[in-house]
Amino acid sequence: MSAPRPVYLGNYPNNRDTDWTDGLQGVAHDEAHWYFTQKTKIFKFHVTTPLTRGSGAAVEMARMPSVLARAGGDHFGDPDFVRWRRRGYLLIPVEGEKKDTQLNKRPRLAVFSTDGGLRFVGAAAMPRQNSARGTGRAGWC
């Protein structure tokens, strides 16, 4: 049995920069929305929104939670969407890029509810990813 052949759908949007694509860190989706992370922001767009539009077209936007920012969190990574018990959640690795901060040494996995607003639920510490350098890098998780 051979692998299915890929189908080219085109380049859309082609060479278009918008304010929400600046410093883009990752993307996830559910049945009705796209979620994009920048270093300290999350944007939620309805799937029918043309991706050539600016951040003003976002259904919602959330910033780095203050509790994570105070611990040195200044970098959202690539988000993942999960549905658990019929509720939607974004799981986002958060790290600190500045040396000697809590999140530089030990990144967190942040959880945001996607139902009824992008609401920060909480975060849990992740294991160190690069103990040889003494840092915890997790934006790729």
Side-chain angles (χ1 to χ4, degrees), residues 19-22 24 34-38 41-45 54-56 58-62 90 118:
D19 57 339
W20 62 266
T21 61
D22 238 5
L24 194 63
W34 288 104
Y35 302 93
F36 296 97
T37 53
Q38 287 180 327
K41 296 177 186 172
I42 308 164
F43 294 98
K44 178 180 180 179
F45 290 93
S55 63
V59 175
E60 296 175 61
M61 190 269 292
L90 281 182
L118 280 175

Side-chain angles (χ1 to χ4, degrees), residues 5-92:
R5 293 181 53 128
V7 177
Y8 177 69
L9 299 176
N11 288 334
Y12 175 79
N14 186 20
N15 291 328
R16 293 291 300 255
D17 285 333
T18 63
D19 57 339
W20 62 266
T21 61
D22 238 5
L24 194 63
Q25 300 297 307
V27 60
H29 68 86
D30 62 22
E31 303 85 0
H33 297 94
W34 288 104
Y35 302 93
F36 296 97
T37 53
Q38 287 180 327
K39 287 182 78 174
T40 60
K41 296 177 186 172
I42 308 164
F43 294 98
K44 178 180 180 179
F45 290 93
H46 194 271
V47 294
T48 60
T49 302
L51 296 180
T52 55
R53 299 197 47 205
S55 63
V59 175
E60 296 175 61
M61 190 269 292
R63 295 185 183 277
M64 181 71 66
S66 59
V67 66
L68 295 177
R70 283 193 303 273
D74 59 5
H75 186 161
F76 281 129
D78 186 29
D80 284 298
F81 176 82
V82 297
R83 189 161 299 286
W84 186 64
R85 295 186 180 176
R86 294 189 282 197
R87 306 255 330 151
Y89 298 94
L90 281 182
L91 307 177
I92 307 173

Side-chain angles (χ1 to χ4, degrees), residues 80-117:
D80 284 298
F81 176 82
V82 297
R83 189 161 299 286
W84 186 64
R85 295 186 180 176
R86 294 189 282 197
R87 306 255 330 151
Y89 298 94
L90 281 182
L91 307 177
I92 307 173
V94 179
E95 58 188 36
E97 294 185 335
K98 293 182 180 119
K99 210 171 175 126
D100 296 326
T101 63
Q102 288 178 1
L103 272 90
N104 174 268
K105 295 176 181 174
R106 191 94 188 262
R108 305 287 190 273
L109 184 63
V111 179
F112 286 80
S113 172
T114 62
D115 299 324

